[in-house]
Amino acid sequence: MMYGFELSGEHEKLPEAEILALLETYGVKVAKISRLNRLLLVTLEERMQPDQFSEFLSRIALSHIVIDVFEVVSADFDTIRDAASRMAPSISGSYAVDATVWDEEDLTSTELERSVGALINHESSWVDLEKPDTIVKLYVISKRCVIGRVVHTRSKQEFTERAPKRRPFFAPGVLKPKIARALVNLCHIKPYECLVDPFVGTGGILLEAGLMGIRVIGLDAQEKMITGASRNLEELEEVDLILGDARSVPFKNGSAAGVVTDLPYGRSSKIKGESIDSLYRDAIFEIFRLLKKGRFAVIISDKPIDDIIKKSGFLVIDEYSMRIHRSMTRRIYFLKKDTEVP
Ligand SMILES: C[S@@+](CC[C@H](N)C(=O)[O-])C[C@H]1O[C@@H](n2cnc3c(N)ncnc32)[C@H](O)[C@@H]1O
């Protein structure tokens, strides 16, 4: 079976990386991956269990819509109509048709919605544009038409409600909740496993992880951050917040199933360390020690730290850059601990 993910335009690579990491996290075997512009098409070797599938969908941060693909056909009107007629018997109850035409000038979404809508209609199906049981979705893109049914729509409101400024405790420079969630997902971590953020700040990363049922541990050198983060994380069940130093975390080797952290920036953070470079080096070596072999870390930095990463023993899976505002780009290092020794 094939699923289509309408990727967010917020980043060129992260939305696709998030989906592939999540599928791997749940041990799903992927038979084929292809891209049509912002639509990622993934063919799975076998169907996911319903509970697992809904958990997977609920975790996604950087895809707007997920569809169960019925067919991919060429983007001409008659061929699309034929595909819709083949799909019609599988639709029962109320439905609506929603078409997105990305780059095909000859077809319009209104025309497609009207025509396909009429074809789907039969004795046991009827149009309901307000609250349909099924949304039939069409993407017309790069001379192809992908037709399927919507299985998930990401709630915009959910992330707006968790905007950093709406939380009880706020400090500048915090990641957007959507990005924080995608980075946790990149880390290949499952519910009940333990994620550590050794520079927890206001707790934005741990909030997203905790809401996905992950056990979270945070450390910060400033007492006001620990107090503030505990207010922000009040709704979570399993949280440990420790006043401490990221260069020496009081946990055994290999005790973390994942680490996601945003390193302190020279000016904006109160740094407890000799110099920013030595703090980064010692903290990254400590993250390596804490992480279980075979697991992943995501480290965000406002300057290149490739040399430190190389010496720490981490394998770089990928590196992303993300523009926060005109004068600030953050680097995101997606790392794996493949060996025990740095
Ligand atoms: C960039 S902020 C983290 C932002 C965080 N992701 C959030 O959601 O608010 C970095 C944090 O690192 C803390 N910090 C600085 N030096 C530290 C150290 N040696 N050990 C632990 N925390 C430290 C700062 O107090 C600050 O709260």
Side-chain angles (χ1 to χ4, degrees):
M1 70 286 337
M2 185 194 274
Y3 292 101
F5 299 86
E6 186 188 322
L7 305 176
S8 146
E10 273 154 293
H11 195 273
E12 205 189 313
K13 285 158 80 186
L14 267 179
E16 175 172 335
E18 180 194 30
I19 298 299
L20 300 180
L22 269 176
L23 288 168
E24 264 183 41
T25 305
Y26 287 96
V28 182
K29 295 233 164 57
V30 172
K32 196 173 167 226
I33 302 166
S34 59
R35 264 294 275 272
L36 288 171
N37 194 326
R38 277 207 285 120
L39 193 69
L40 173 72
L41 295 172
V42 181
T43 308
L44 306 185
E45 280 184 10
E46 53 191 48
R47 205 169 272 283
M48 288 171 82
Q49 294 300 319
D51 285 359
Q52 197 187 44
F53 188 54
S54 52
E55 187 173 296
F56 158 73
L57 293 175
S58 71
R59 291 184 61 169
I60 300 172
L62 296 179
S63 292
H64 302 300
I65 291 173
V66 184
I67 66 167
D68 187 342
V69 176
F70 179 74
E71 274 183 31
V72 182
V73 295
S74 71
D76 75 80
F77 198 56
D78 291 337
T79 313
I80 297 172
R81 283 174 54 86
D82 288 347
S85 307
R86 287 191 290 276
M87 188 178 178
S90 68
I91 309 288
S92 61
S94 62
Y95 70 91
V97 179
D98 180 23
T100 300
V101 178
W102 264 320
D103 52 10
E104 199 66 36
E105 283 156 26
D106 302 343
L107 296 167
T108 69
S109 51
T110 330
E111 185 184 20
L112 277 171
E113 283 162 5
R114 238 185 253 139
S115 169
V116 170
L119 285 165
I120 302 274
N121 199 286
H122 55 82
E123 285 144 23
S124 49
S125 67
W126 59 94
V127 173
D128 179 351
L129 300 180
E130 297 294 312
K131 266 187 136 201
D133 300 327
T134 305
I135 300 175
V136 175
K137 180 85 194 170
L138 293 113
Y139 289 98
V140 177
I141 180 176
S142 313
K143 309 259 178 258
R144 313 289 288 159
C145 174
V146 181
I147 180 166
R149 62 169 77 211
V150 173
V151 288
H152 180 71
T153 305
R154 198 201 54 205
S155 148
K156 281 187 195 143
Q157 200 191 342
E158 196 195 310
F159 286 109
T160 325
E161 278 166 6
R162 291 204 295 278
K165 283 204 168 152
R166 290 200 182 184
R167 295 179 204 148
F169 175 67
F170 172 77
V174 182
L175 292 176
K176 280 190 201 163
K178 229 189 282 176
I179 302 296
R181 175 170 287 235
L183 299 183
V184 171
N185 287 335
L186 204 58
C187 205
H188 290 69
I189 190 154
K190 283 197 194 126
Y192 305 108
E193 290 188 316
C194 174
L195 181 98
V196 178
D197 179 355
F199 295 100
V200 72
T202 63
I205 292 168
L206 296 193
L207 179 62
E208 293 306 314
L211 290 172
M212 295 189 280
I214 295 159
R215 276 192 52 214
V216 293
I217 298 179
L219 238 97
D220 204 286
Q222 296 191 73
E223 196 158 3
K224 71 166 189 201
M225 288 298 176
I226 293 296
T227 316
S230 69
R231 288 176 62 208
N232 285 350
L233 302 178
E234 229 155 37
E235 65 186 286
L236 303 183
E237 275 169 24
E238 285 208 65
V239 194
D240 272 317
L241 291 171
I242 302 161
L243 180 63
D245 191 332
R247 295 169 299 176
S248 134
V249 181
F251 295 120
K252 287 193 300 211
N253 296 0
S255 50
V259 173
V260 180
T261 201
D262 190 7
L263 299 175
Y265 310 116
R267 272 167 297 135
S268 60
S269 284
K270 196 170 176 343
I271 300 145
K272 261 186 97 189
E274 293 135 32
S275 72
I276 194 96
D277 289 333
S278 70
L279 172 69
Y280 285 5
R281 190 195 53 230
D282 295 350
I284 290 167
F285 272 71
E286 186 65 347
I287 291 170
F288 185 87
R289 180 190 73 74
L290 272 180
L291 202 61
K292 275 193 186 83
K293 191 176 165 208
R295 306 304 299 256
F296 299 86
V298 176
I299 299 180
I300 306 145
S301 168
D302 72 336
K303 59 180 205 155
I305 48 168
D306 302 66
D307 279 354
I308 302 175
I309 300 281
K310 211 185 272 170
K311 287 183 193 135
S312 68
F314 274 120
L315 179 73
V316 180
I317 303 289
D318 214 336
E319 209 184 305
Y320 311 96
S321 102
M322 180 174 283
R323 193 103 175 252
I324 304 293
H325 50 71
R326 240 183 318 141
S327 60
M328 188 182 196
T329 302
R330 281 179 183 169
R331 290 175 168 76
I332 300 168
Y333 292 85
F334 175 28
L335 310 169
K336 186 173 187 186
K337 177 172 173 175
D338 236 8
T339 134
E340 282 297 356
V341 271

